[in-house]
Amino acid sequence: MPGAKFLEGEKINLRTIEEEDLDFLSSVNLPEIRENIVSVRTPQNMEKTREFFEEQICGEGSVNLLICVEEDPKGIISLIEEGKVSKIHRIGLWLHPDSHRKGYGTEACELMIKYGFNQLNAHKIFYRAHGSNKPSQNLAEKLGFEKEAVLKDHVYTQGEYKDLVWYRLLREEWEE
Amino acid sequence: MSAVFLQSGDVTLRPVEREDVEFLQELVQHPEVRDTIGRAPLPVNRKQEEEHIEEISSDDDGVYFLIEYQGEKAGITSIHGLEDRYRKAEFGISIHPKLHDQGIGSKSVKMLAEYAFDSLNIHKLRGGYVEGNPASKRIMEKIGMKEEGRERHYKYVDGEWKDTIWMSILEDEWRSE
């Protein structure tokens, strides 16, 4: 049974992530996904995936939703509180490789950003992309993020050092 | 499923059970509901709602009822503050938007108030509604609640701060109603 619909877009909707989605969450092991996210390097077995579910998804301090077309999961998106006092959140997402280049990521981010500013009263939302990941940087730019910093040789992946590019969106920039 | 606790026509109140988790999960994050309740407008998955049901089952300070309308799950209502020394309590209610405008809220709150004053011996019952929610206001006025004050900037909804208006009724006002 799919999770409850939380935010609704045109092509996709964002639903709560349920225990039944653990198999899908395990897609994070796919090279196309894990090589482009900062936090995962080692194999994530079901026990680790369950830990992620219980600690991050069911825990406090972040909003995590399943990106779905109708009821089919395509990816996950998170808005993570990085500074309670400063009201700063980090947005991050991954899509299953079969669902790239369909505009799902853009729409999911638009919904989550609107929710972050309008319901959670965020002041600033930031986003990180690997220097080698052009689609990810294009996504940030398309969403109106400003490039804030380039951290030189900050991530080692696929046999080489890569830059980490930080993007930011302030509330007033988003409102324009 | 547990037995009926309170009944008024086709509206019944019964204890909340673990089996209600899917209904409650859908209810509390329905876009029209999550913007009107005190709880934060965050997504809630089944596991989190199950934990919530466990917490309320062991909460001595509050009572919680599942509202049914003609045998269908319709909403939730609760009273908090039962451990307060002065016996001042606060109630809350949410009806699923698909069942709005059937008088379910009014009947439920009337039963709840009667129970709070007659069985729990409270001195005062308080309730609040986020501005721009005339249905809640009407329900509270119907049982004789008076406006007590406005709490400014109570909740952040759709890019702006909303006030909450607090209403209340005292035990002697309830008895003379």
Side-chain angles (χ1 to χ4, degrees):
Chain A
M1 194 182 146
K5 207 184 274 181
F6 191 75
L7 297 171
E8 188 151 21
E10 307 251 313
K11 283 187 259 188
I12 54 122
N13 57 79
L14 302 182
R15 293 176 182 267
T16 54
I17 305 176
E18 306 293 343
E19 247 166 319
E20 292 86 329
D21 299 315
L22 286 180
D23 283 348
F24 179 76
L25 292 183
S26 154
S27 321
V28 77
N29 285 297
L30 297 171
E32 297 92 326
I33 299 177
R34 82 177 133 82
E35 280 169 1
N36 282 310
I37 56 182
V38 178
S39 51
V40 178
R41 283 291 175 276
T42 52
Q44 304 292 303
N45 66 6
M46 290 316 287
E47 197 176 323
K48 283 229 168 166
T49 305
R50 178 171 292 276
E51 242 173 66
F52 170 77
F53 173 77
E54 286 174 0
E55 283 164 24
Q56 175 165 332
I57 295 174
C58 299
E60 296 199 349
S62 64
V63 171
N64 306 277
L65 295 164
L66 201 60
I67 305 170
C68 295
V69 170
E70 309 282 341
E71 296 181 349
D72 294 333
K74 303 294 180 188
I76 75 166
I77 183 161
S78 303
L79 192 64
I80 298 160
E81 197 173 66
E82 296 270 344
K84 201 165 204 136
V85 173
S86 333
K87 300 194 291 183
I88 292 173
H89 299 255
R90 175 165 67 81
I91 191 167
L93 75 159
W94 57 256
L95 283 161
H96 193 280
D98 298 344
S99 300
H100 286 169
R101 299 177 179 278
K102 294 194 157 96
Y104 299 161
T106 311
E107 210 181 338
C109 287
E110 282 168 352
L111 290 170
M112 196 64 129
I113 290 167
K114 185 175 178 202
Y115 172 76
F117 285 125
N118 274 353
Q119 312 299 135
L120 301 184
N121 197 16
H123 174 71
K124 172 180 181 173
I125 294 176
F126 73 95
Y127 175 82
R128 309 180 299 198
H130 284 176
S132 59
N133 189 347
K134 286 292 164 222
S136 178
Q137 293 175 55
N138 291 342
L139 171 66
E141 279 156 28
K142 196 161 143 197
L143 290 164
F145 278 76
E146 294 282 329
K147 196 182 278 186
E148 194 161 64
V150 177
L151 280 65
K152 210 66 200 159
D153 280 5
H154 202 75
V155 188
Y156 188 84
T157 172
Q158 293 164 305
E160 56 184 4
Y161 277 102
K162 286 175 183 163
D163 298 345
L164 190 64
V165 189
W166 286 61
Y167 288 92
R168 65 118 213 283
L169 186 61
L170 298 177
R171 168 189 286 276
E172 65 251 35
E173 293 167 342
W174 172 72
E175 278 169 346
E176 274 168 17
Chain B
M1 207 50 71
S2 46
V4 169
F5 193 87
L6 295 165
Q7 179 156 20
S8 164
D10 41 20
V11 179
T12 57
L13 305 189
R14 62 156 173 85
V16 175
E17 298 294 342
R18 194 177 271 275
E19 291 76 17
D20 298 319
V21 62
E22 275 155 24
F23 171 74
L24 292 177
Q25 186 196 0
E26 188 193 323
L27 176 70
V28 296
Q29 62 195 331
H30 190 288
E32 287 172 43
V33 175
R34 69 187 187 225
D35 289 342
T36 63
I37 58 179
R39 206 162 151 175
L42 297 172
V44 182
N45 68 16
R46 220 164 296 137
K47 191 173 163 68
Q48 289 168 308
E49 193 58 31
E50 272 167 15
E51 283 165 11
H52 182 70
I53 293 176
E54 265 173 41
E55 280 166 27
I56 66 177
S57 306
S58 57
D59 177 8
D60 294 333
D61 192 53
V63 291
Y64 302 79
F65 295 108
L66 202 288
I67 304 170
E68 288 190 358
Y69 175 66
Q70 296 177 346
E72 187 187 355
K73 295 177 188 182
I76 188 169
T77 185
S78 57
I79 312 174
H80 302 267
L82 301 178
E83 289 183 330
D84 180 79
R85 179 169 302 273
Y86 298 121
R87 307 222 52 78
K88 293 182 292 185
E90 186 178 316
F91 86 95
I93 184 167
S94 300
I95 304 291
H96 195 291
K98 70 182 176 197
L99 290 167
H100 279 175
D101 306 320
Q102 319 262 357
I104 304 169
S106 290
K107 276 185 183 161
S108 304
V109 171
K110 190 161 181 287
M111 280 191 270
L112 194 74
E114 203 168 85
Y115 166 69
F117 285 111
D118 293 349
S119 296
L120 302 177
N121 194 22
I122 64 160
H123 172 64
K124 170 180 176 174
L125 186 64
R126 187 167 91 122
Y129 64 91
V130 178
E131 61 179 319
N133 185 353
S136 286
K137 181 183 183 197
R138 216 166 27 245
I139 288 173
M140 293 187 220
E141 283 171 345
K142 261 190 182 165
I143 61 158
M145 282 189 160
K146 294 185 177 123
E147 188 171 323
E148 189 160 84
R150 171 178 287 254
E151 180 175 345
R152 298 188 299 158
H153 288 199
Y154 176 81
K155 196 174 169 85
Y156 196 78
V157 181
D158 295 335
E160 50 186 63
W161 285 103
K162 303 268 187 195
D163 297 348
T164 272
I165 292 86
W166 291 103
M167 314 268 290
S168 69
I169 181 165
L170 307 174
E171 70 182 307
D172 54 351
E173 290 169 346
W174 171 258
R175 312 246 180 255
S176 63
E177 275 283 315

